[in-house]
mmCIF file of all heavy atoms in Angstrom:
data_model
loop_
_atom_site.group_PDB
_atom_site.id
_atom_site.type_symbol
_atom_site.label_atom_id
_atom_site.label_comp_id
_atom_site.label_asym_id
_atom_site.label_seq_id
_atom_site.Cartn_x
_atom_site.Cartn_y
_atom_site.Cartn_z
ATOM 1 N N GLY A 13 -3.468 16.386 -72.310
ATOM 2 C CA GLY A 13 -4.614 15.616 -71.830
ATOM 3 C C GLY A 13 -5.255 14.724 -72.863
ATOM 4 O O GLY A 13 -6.390 14.269 -72.675
ATOM 5 N N ALA A 14 -4.554 14.417 -73.944
ATOM 6 C CA ALA A 14 -5.111 13.539 -74.976
ATOM 7 C C ALA A 14 -5.283 12.127 -74.417
ATOM 8 O O ALA A 14 -4.445 11.653 -73.646
ATOM 9 C CB ALA A 14 -4.195 13.508 -76.199
ATOM 10 N N PRO A 15 -6.354 11.452 -74.785
ATOM 11 C CA PRO A 15 -6.540 10.074 -74.334
ATOM 12 C C PRO A 15 -5.510 9.147 -74.979
ATOM 13 O O PRO A 15 -4.955 9.446 -76.039
ATOM 14 C CB PRO A 15 -7.960 9.730 -74.801
ATOM 15 C CG PRO A 15 -8.235 10.666 -75.918
ATOM 16 C CD PRO A 15 -7.452 11.904 -75.651
ATOM 17 N N TRP A 16 -5.268 8.001 -74.337
ATOM 18 C CA TRP A 16 -4.278 7.045 -74.830
ATOM 19 C C TRP A 16 -4.580 6.615 -76.269
ATOM 20 O O TRP A 16 -3.663 6.430 -77.056
ATOM 21 C CB TRP A 16 -4.215 5.836 -73.912
ATOM 22 C CG TRP A 16 -3.377 4.736 -74.486
ATOM 23 C CD1 TRP A 16 -3.803 3.520 -74.912
ATOM 24 C CD2 TRP A 16 -1.966 4.760 -74.718
ATOM 25 N NE1 TRP A 16 -2.747 2.786 -75.391
ATOM 26 C CE2 TRP A 16 -1.604 3.538 -75.284
ATOM 27 C CE3 TRP A 16 -0.970 5.720 -74.524
ATOM 28 C CZ2 TRP A 16 -0.300 3.218 -75.648
ATOM 29 C CZ3 TRP A 16 0.340 5.394 -74.882
ATOM 30 C CH2 TRP A 16 0.658 4.166 -75.428
ATOM 31 N N GLU A 17 -5.838 6.471 -76.607
ATOM 32 C CA GLU A 17 -6.210 6.043 -77.952
ATOM 33 C C GLU A 17 -5.677 7.003 -79.016
ATOM 34 O O GLU A 17 -5.370 6.602 -80.126
ATOM 35 C CB GLU A 17 -7.734 5.928 -78.096
ATOM 36 C CG GLU A 17 -8.355 4.845 -77.257
ATOM 37 C CD GLU A 17 -8.545 5.252 -75.797
ATOM 38 O OE1 GLU A 17 -8.539 6.476 -75.489
ATOM 39 O OE2 GLU A 17 -8.686 4.345 -74.966
ATOM 40 N N GLN A 18 -5.578 8.265 -78.674
ATOM 41 C CA GLN A 18 -5.092 9.268 -79.615
ATOM 42 C C GLN A 18 -3.567 9.229 -79.741
ATOM 43 O O GLN A 18 -3.021 9.577 -80.779
ATOM 44 C CB GLN A 18 -5.537 10.660 -79.164
ATOM 45 C CG GLN A 18 -5.198 11.774 -80.133
ATOM 46 C CD GLN A 18 -5.767 13.098 -79.667
ATOM 47 O OE1 GLN A 18 -6.698 13.142 -78.866
ATOM 48 N NE2 GLN A 18 -5.194 14.173 -80.151
ATOM 49 N N VAL A 19 -2.881 8.800 -78.706
ATOM 50 C CA VAL A 19 -1.421 8.822 -78.656
ATOM 51 C C VAL A 19 -0.825 7.463 -79.023
ATOM 52 O O VAL A 19 0.343 7.369 -79.398
ATOM 53 C CB VAL A 19 -0.951 9.245 -77.241
ATOM 54 C CG1 VAL A 19 0.538 9.299 -77.127
ATOM 55 C CG2 VAL A 19 -1.563 10.574 -76.859
ATOM 56 N N ALA A 20 -1.608 6.415 -78.955
ATOM 57 C CA ALA A 20 -1.103 5.048 -79.088
ATOM 58 C C ALA A 20 -0.381 4.790 -80.405
ATOM 59 O O ALA A 20 0.650 4.115 -80.428
ATOM 60 C CB ALA A 20 -2.246 4.048 -78.911
ATOM 61 N N ALA A 21 -0.884 5.300 -81.503
ATOM 62 C CA ALA A 21 -0.260 5.039 -82.800
ATOM 63 C C ALA A 21 1.146 5.634 -82.856
ATOM 64 O O ALA A 21 2.098 4.957 -83.279
ATOM 65 C CB ALA A 21 -1.120 5.597 -83.927
ATOM 66 N N GLU A 22 1.299 6.899 -82.437
ATOM 67 C CA GLU A 22 2.620 7.518 -82.449
ATOM 68 C C GLU A 22 3.576 6.785 -81.511
ATOM 69 O O GLU A 22 4.735 6.565 -81.838
ATOM 70 C CB GLU A 22 2.543 8.997 -82.047
ATOM 71 C CG GLU A 22 1.988 9.891 -83.125
ATOM 72 C CD GLU A 22 0.533 10.242 -82.874
ATOM 73 O OE1 GLU A 22 -0.151 9.475 -82.177
ATOM 74 O OE2 GLU A 22 0.100 11.283 -83.386
ATOM 75 N N TRP A 23 3.085 6.403 -80.334
ATOM 76 C CA TRP A 23 3.921 5.697 -79.371
ATOM 77 C C TRP A 23 4.368 4.356 -79.937
ATOM 78 O O TRP A 23 5.535 3.974 -79.793
ATOM 79 C CB TRP A 23 3.183 5.509 -78.051
ATOM 80 C CG TRP A 23 4.007 4.795 -77.033
ATOM 81 C CD1 TRP A 23 3.847 3.527 -76.584
ATOM 82 C CD2 TRP A 23 5.144 5.318 -76.352
ATOM 83 N NE1 TRP A 23 4.814 3.222 -75.664
ATOM 84 C CE2 TRP A 23 5.628 4.315 -75.502
ATOM 85 C CE3 TRP A 23 5.798 6.543 -76.390
ATOM 86 C CZ2 TRP A 23 6.737 4.482 -74.686
ATOM 87 C CZ3 TRP A 23 6.914 6.707 -75.577
ATOM 88 C CH2 TRP A 23 7.364 5.690 -74.739
ATOM 89 N N THR A 24 3.464 3.645 -80.582
ATOM 90 C CA THR A 24 3.799 2.341 -81.171
ATOM 91 C C THR A 24 4.849 2.496 -82.261
ATOM 92 O O THR A 24 5.832 1.745 -82.296
ATOM 93 C CB THR A 24 2.531 1.663 -81.732
ATOM 94 O OG1 THR A 24 1.583 1.522 -80.667
ATOM 95 C CG2 THR A 24 2.848 0.312 -82.320
ATOM 96 N N ILE A 25 4.671 3.474 -83.145
ATOM 97 C CA ILE A 25 5.654 3.710 -84.212
ATOM 98 C C ILE A 25 7.006 4.080 -83.611
ATOM 99 O O ILE A 25 8.053 3.575 -84.040
ATOM 100 C CB ILE A 25 5.154 4.801 -85.177
ATOM 101 C CG1 ILE A 25 3.935 4.304 -85.948
ATOM 102 C CG2 ILE A 25 6.257 5.235 -86.139
ATOM 103 C CD1 ILE A 25 3.193 5.387 -86.710
ATOM 104 N N PHE A 26 7.004 4.933 -82.598
ATOM 105 C CA PHE A 26 8.253 5.327 -81.938
ATOM 106 C C PHE A 26 8.960 4.113 -81.351
ATOM 107 O O PHE A 26 10.166 3.940 -81.534
ATOM 108 C CB PHE A 26 7.970 6.366 -80.846
ATOM 109 C CG PHE A 26 9.163 6.660 -79.999
ATOM 110 C CD1 PHE A 26 10.177 7.469 -80.471
ATOM 111 C CD2 PHE A 26 9.276 6.122 -78.728
ATOM 112 C CE1 PHE A 26 11.296 7.735 -79.693
ATOM 113 C CE2 PHE A 26 10.387 6.385 -77.945
ATOM 114 C CZ PHE A 26 11.397 7.192 -78.431
ATOM 115 N N MET A 27 8.224 3.267 -80.636
ATOM 116 C CA MET A 27 8.836 2.105 -79.995
ATOM 117 C C MET A 27 9.347 1.096 -81.020
ATOM 118 O O MET A 27 10.432 0.527 -80.841
ATOM 119 C CB MET A 27 7.852 1.440 -79.024
ATOM 120 C CG MET A 27 7.562 2.286 -77.797
ATOM 121 S SD MET A 27 9.034 2.832 -76.895
ATOM 122 C CE MET A 27 9.695 1.295 -76.325
ATOM 123 N N VAL A 28 8.606 0.869 -82.084
ATOM 124 C CA VAL A 28 9.071 -0.046 -83.138
ATOM 125 C C VAL A 28 10.359 0.495 -83.756
ATOM 126 O O VAL A 28 11.322 -0.250 -83.978
ATOM 127 C CB VAL A 28 7.971 -0.261 -84.209
ATOM 128 C CG1 VAL A 28 8.523 -0.941 -85.445
ATOM 129 C CG2 VAL A 28 6.820 -1.071 -83.625
ATOM 130 N N LEU A 29 10.395 1.782 -84.021
ATOM 131 C CA LEU A 29 11.591 2.412 -84.584
ATOM 132 C C LEU A 29 12.766 2.297 -83.620
ATOM 133 O O LEU A 29 13.872 1.920 -84.019
ATOM 134 C CB LEU A 29 11.306 3.878 -84.921
ATOM 135 C CG LEU A 29 12.451 4.693 -85.500
ATOM 136 C CD1 LEU A 29 12.939 4.097 -86.811
ATOM 137 C CD2 LEU A 29 12.007 6.134 -85.711
ATOM 138 N N ALA A 30 12.553 2.608 -82.360
ATOM 139 C CA ALA A 30 13.631 2.570 -81.369
ATOM 140 C C ALA A 30 14.184 1.159 -81.198
ATOM 141 O O ALA A 30 15.399 0.944 -81.248
ATOM 142 C CB ALA A 30 13.135 3.118 -80.030
ATOM 143 N N VAL A 31 13.307 0.194 -80.996
ATOM 144 C CA VAL A 31 13.749 -1.190 -80.807
ATOM 145 C C VAL A 31 14.409 -1.720 -82.078
ATOM 146 O O VAL A 31 15.446 -2.390 -82.025
ATOM 147 C CB VAL A 31 12.564 -2.083 -80.363
ATOM 148 C CG1 VAL A 31 12.941 -3.549 -80.378
ATOM 149 C CG2 VAL A 31 12.090 -1.673 -78.974
ATOM 150 N N GLY A 32 13.839 -1.393 -83.221
ATOM 151 C CA GLY A 32 14.424 -1.832 -84.491
ATOM 152 C C GLY A 32 15.815 -1.275 -84.700
ATOM 153 O O GLY A 32 16.719 -1.990 -85.153
ATOM 154 N N LEU A 33 16.028 -0.005 -84.379
ATOM 155 C CA LEU A 33 17.354 0.596 -84.511
ATOM 156 C C LEU A 33 18.359 -0.061 -83.579
ATOM 157 O O LEU A 33 19.503 -0.338 -83.974
ATOM 158 C CB LEU A 33 17.287 2.098 -84.230
ATOM 159 C CG LEU A 33 16.662 2.962 -85.306
ATOM 160 C CD1 LEU A 33 16.457 4.387 -84.798
ATOM 161 C CD2 LEU A 33 17.524 2.967 -86.557
ATOM 162 N N VAL A 34 17.958 -0.320 -82.348
ATOM 163 C CA VAL A 34 18.864 -0.954 -81.384
ATOM 164 C C VAL A 34 19.265 -2.346 -81.870
ATOM 165 O O VAL A 34 20.449 -2.703 -81.872
ATOM 166 C CB VAL A 34 18.216 -1.019 -79.979
ATOM 167 C CG1 VAL A 34 19.002 -1.924 -79.055
ATOM 168 C CG2 VAL A 34 18.100 0.371 -79.395
ATOM 169 N N ILE A 35 18.301 -3.130 -82.304
ATOM 170 C CA ILE A 35 18.593 -4.493 -82.772
ATOM 171 C C ILE A 35 19.473 -4.460 -84.020
ATOM 172 O O ILE A 35 20.469 -5.190 -84.116
ATOM 173 C CB ILE A 35 17.286 -5.264 -83.027
ATOM 174 C CG1 ILE A 35 16.587 -5.547 -81.692
ATOM 175 C CG2 ILE A 35 17.553 -6.564 -83.782
ATOM 176 C CD1 ILE A 35 15.180 -6.099 -81.833
ATOM 177 N N ALA A 36 19.129 -3.614 -84.979
ATOM 178 C CA ALA A 36 19.899 -3.543 -86.225
ATOM 179 C C ALA A 36 21.343 -3.116 -85.964
ATOM 180 O O ALA A 36 22.276 -3.688 -86.538
ATOM 181 C CB ALA A 36 19.226 -2.587 -87.206
ATOM 182 N N CYS A 37 21.530 -2.139 -85.102
ATOM 183 C CA CYS A 37 22.891 -1.677 -84.804
ATOM 184 C C CYS A 37 23.678 -2.731 -84.028
ATOM 185 O O CYS A 37 24.847 -2.989 -84.338
ATOM 186 C CB CYS A 37 22.847 -0.363 -84.028
ATOM 187 S SG CYS A 37 22.350 1.048 -85.044
ATOM 188 N N ALA A 38 23.065 -3.346 -83.035
ATOM 189 C CA ALA A 38 23.761 -4.365 -82.245
ATOM 190 C C ALA A 38 24.166 -5.554 -83.110
ATOM 191 O O ALA A 38 25.272 -6.093 -82.958
ATOM 192 C CB ALA A 38 22.883 -4.823 -81.085
ATOM 193 N N ARG A 39 23.314 -5.957 -84.027
ATOM 194 C CA ARG A 39 23.637 -7.084 -84.919
ATOM 195 C C ARG A 39 24.821 -6.779 -85.820
ATOM 196 O O ARG A 39 25.530 -7.681 -86.252
ATOM 197 C CB ARG A 39 22.435 -7.440 -85.784
ATOM 198 C CG ARG A 39 21.327 -8.127 -84.992
ATOM 199 C CD ARG A 39 20.230 -8.622 -85.878
ATOM 200 N NE ARG A 39 20.733 -9.696 -86.712
ATOM 201 C CZ ARG A 39 20.270 -9.963 -87.931
ATOM 202 N NH1 ARG A 39 19.296 -9.240 -88.438
ATOM 203 N NH2 ARG A 39 20.771 -10.945 -88.630
ATOM 204 N N ARG A 40 25.049 -5.504 -86.097
ATOM 205 C CA ARG A 40 26.157 -5.107 -86.972
ATOM 206 C C ARG A 40 27.376 -4.620 -86.186
ATOM 207 O O ARG A 40 28.354 -4.160 -86.757
ATOM 208 C CB ARG A 40 25.682 -4.026 -87.939
ATOM 209 C CG ARG A 40 24.771 -4.619 -89.001
ATOM 210 C CD ARG A 40 23.976 -3.564 -89.720
ATOM 211 N NE ARG A 40 23.076 -4.126 -90.704
ATOM 212 C CZ ARG A 40 21.884 -4.645 -90.450
ATOM 213 N NH1 ARG A 40 21.438 -4.690 -89.209
ATOM 214 N NH2 ARG A 40 21.131 -5.134 -91.412
ATOM 215 N N GLY A 41 27.295 -4.699 -84.850
ATOM 216 C CA GLY A 41 28.413 -4.290 -84.014
ATOM 217 C C GLY A 41 28.616 -2.786 -83.970
ATOM 218 O O GLY A 41 29.721 -2.309 -83.748
#
């Protein structure tokens, strides 16, 4: 039941990491 403000930082870091990994791997085949 944590408010979004409490979870937003972890979610943002997770999404940046996930998208960054996908882009980096795809660029290298």
